[in-house]
Amino acid sequence: MTWPHKDLLDVSQLSRADAVEILRAAKSFQEINSRPVKKVPILKGKSVILFFAEPSTRTKTSFDVAGKRLSADTFSLQKSGSSLVKGESLKDTVLTLQAMKPDAIVMRHNMSGAAQFIAERLECAVINAGDGWHAHPTQALLDAFTLTERWGDVQGKTVLILGDIAHSRVARSNVRLLTLLGAKVRLCAPKTLLPYAVSNWNVPVFSDLDEAVRGVDAIMCLRLQLERQQAGLLPDVREYSRRFCMTIPRLSKAAKHAVVLHPGPINRGWEIASDLADAHESLILDQVASGVDVRMALLHLYLTRKERKE
Amino acid sequence: MSQADLVVRSAALADNPQASVDLFVAKGRVLALVPTGSRPLPESAKSVDASGLLLLPGLTDVHVHLREPGQEWKETIATGLAAAAKGGFVNVMCMANTDPVNDQASITETMLDKAARSHPKGPRLFPVGALTVGLEGKTLAPMEELKAAGCKAFSNDGRPVADTELFRRALEYASDLGIPVIDHCEDPHLAPASGINEGVVSARLGLRGHPCAGEAIQVARDCLLAEYLGVPIHLAHISSKMSVDVIRQAKAKGAPVTAETCPHYLILTDEACETYDTNAKVNPPLRTREDQRALLAALEDGTIDALATDHAPHAAHEKETPFDEAPNGISGLETALSVTWGLVARGELSAKALVSAWCVRPAEIFALPLNRFQEGDPADFILFDPAARWTVTAQSLVSKGKNTPLLGRELTGLVKSVYVAGKNTLLTRESS
Ligand SMILES: [Zn+2]
């Protein structure tokens, strides 16, 4: 299969077949990750710049591990150590990076649209590792991979996304991808944490968690950020967790064998009860493992795209 | 009666294109507007053949940002007025949010001096003075001094006054001087100036949106104050149906409010931001189809009195950033008439409403020179080719601001010449 996309900006660029191909490829890399020597030479000589203008430990480490296991050279650049803090524009920063001829730039940025902005200006592949509130395609793909691993297929399953939808790129990308793959998605959040135009997303929206959780196959909890309370969107964390914290008793109302996901880092007791986070229904650590598999698949697809064409 | 020194022959009137007319001008003033051929041409007069062209009174733009002093890399008074002339404008009111702010006579005088030197034949510049010192919303600006220096209105545009008590006092003080106040309506607590409408598109793009209620709430505040105090307020760049509904109610009750909207709200929606196009980032933001329809209806029935460009030039590198970082604003002087004429051509707006909104009402509201083609009126008029086609490109614009979401779009209708007090000020265009 020749890979048709130069960049991965969001899952909305992907066809269903593309998404299935990524998940299939992830499965083949999963095998490598279970070997005693977890390294293959398929991206030897390729260089990948990890440009994280917003702090992130797990996504960056995951890409770094994925790249190194494929023998690519990875270089990290953080905002604190970059000239962005010295007032250089994003355009100039990425043009500078491009001049070093990387094969791909993986970028995390706090502004929505930043990945598209640089992709329009660069020749190398751009992989969006999260931009503002807009998109987090690799997270959505690893979530879908985790669920596929558990269920065989997400088709026909119901997934509840719970928490701060309005400010969540994870939620936006997951709504798109899970729907594309044939799952039913529903949302649950206080109205203050929902986008104003959420009715146009064509998914059911709940404000009562006990009702929302009824019969679902998976609950994807989102991280609650303290800024939301400071911005006046919530009374306090205690009230939030009374209404929206996912707990083992609440899980009993979901479908049998229902599972719980969380993109991390988790706030134990806020959005997910501590005992549930550690329970066997929790896929949180499976997600981390899937992250490496999926990102290896993505680096492979996007970095060998041109060679495949020929 | 003096002898005509200029005759424009065989023009069509914008709102009555069947009738062919001759315009007689003497010493910068209108002498007569008569059916073609009904009056002999004086031998000494300069004669201009305007067949195939439309004759309109010169346009007045009551809301532009010229960036000088302080941000001359975006625009200068000279380049801004050149752009205005190219757009068909004879009167231009420039906002006070320069650096330093236009809150004292010396700044106003400098602006007027620059205008007189770069554009001695017009377009005429009428500065808008700051309503509060430094636009900080804390202390009233010295309005009498600013009026004496030549300011025709006061406004805190760019940084609307949040303190309603102070705003009320500013209105009262300005009304003593007989000078209108222009308000940029934006509830400071509800509406971050995010440059995109809160709605389907902002939700999809993951951008914080600006709710139309954030405009309408402030419009309601202003309408109630105007009614309560009996003092006029002019509402700037109205963008939403919700605001239109409030203004219509207020006018029905007799509140002395007037309002303007801008061409971009009439032809674009928030879908123009779909690709994070920062050239479509403007404050207030582009709204929805429904808002567009409401604004057109309001222009037609006079609820919205005037059109204005809110010309807001920015340098290319300032707009070449992620959406959240880009400054708000569209460069609008040169596309304004073509865009709105397009609405007339498509039957979405009457030519009568267009002439009223661009030429008549803005001059009336701010007591600026106004040409109704009556004897003695200033001979401010334009000749407009309604059939000419042109493509908006960075090179086609004389403004330093190339920031318009219309780049690459073909427009119909072109200003051929602009006369201010009987003198053609638009001599730069080769085709004329
Ligand atoms: Zn404004």
Side-chain angles (χ1 to χ4, degrees), chain A residues 90-91 109-114 116-117 120-121 131 133-134 167 172 176 195-197 200-201, chain B residues 198-209 212 274-276 319-325:
Chain A
L90 180 60
K91 181 187 167 188
H109 201 281
N110 61 330
M111 284 185 200
S112 299
Q116 179 178 328
F117 177 83
E120 283 167 0
R121 286 161 179 82
D131 64 326
W133 305 342
H134 170 237
H167 309 97
R172 279 180 178 77
R176 287 175 188 133
Y196 175 73
N200 281 275
W201 289 14
Chain B
E198 181 172 68
V200 184
V201 179
S202 68
R204 182 160 55 234
L205 295 181
L207 293 169
R208 181 190 296 273
C212 60
E274 194 79 68
T275 56
Y276 295 102
K319 282 282 194 179
E320 203 180 356
T321 67
F323 197 87
D324 273 339
E325 259 183 359

Side-chain angles (χ1 to χ4, degrees), chain A residues 1-62:
Chain A
M1 177 181 182
T2 44
W3 192 247
H5 309 286
K6 171 184 163 282
D7 310 299
L8 178 61
L9 304 179
D10 191 16
V11 292
S12 55
Q13 295 172 301
L14 304 175
S15 67
R16 189 180 169 134
D18 291 337
V20 169
E21 167 70 10
I22 293 168
L23 300 185
R24 194 200 56 73
K27 184 75 190 166
S28 68
F29 287 109
Q30 186 185 47
E31 187 270 317
I32 293 169
N33 287 325
S34 57
R35 292 180 195 171
V37 177
K38 303 171 183 62
K39 195 161 174 119
V40 290
I42 56 178
L43 293 184
K44 202 167 167 58
K46 301 277 185 188
S47 44
V48 178
I49 292 181
L50 307 176
F51 175 28
F52 280 65
E54 185 188 86
S56 146
T57 311
R58 66 179 59 208
T59 304
K60 203 177 103 198
T61 309
S62 180

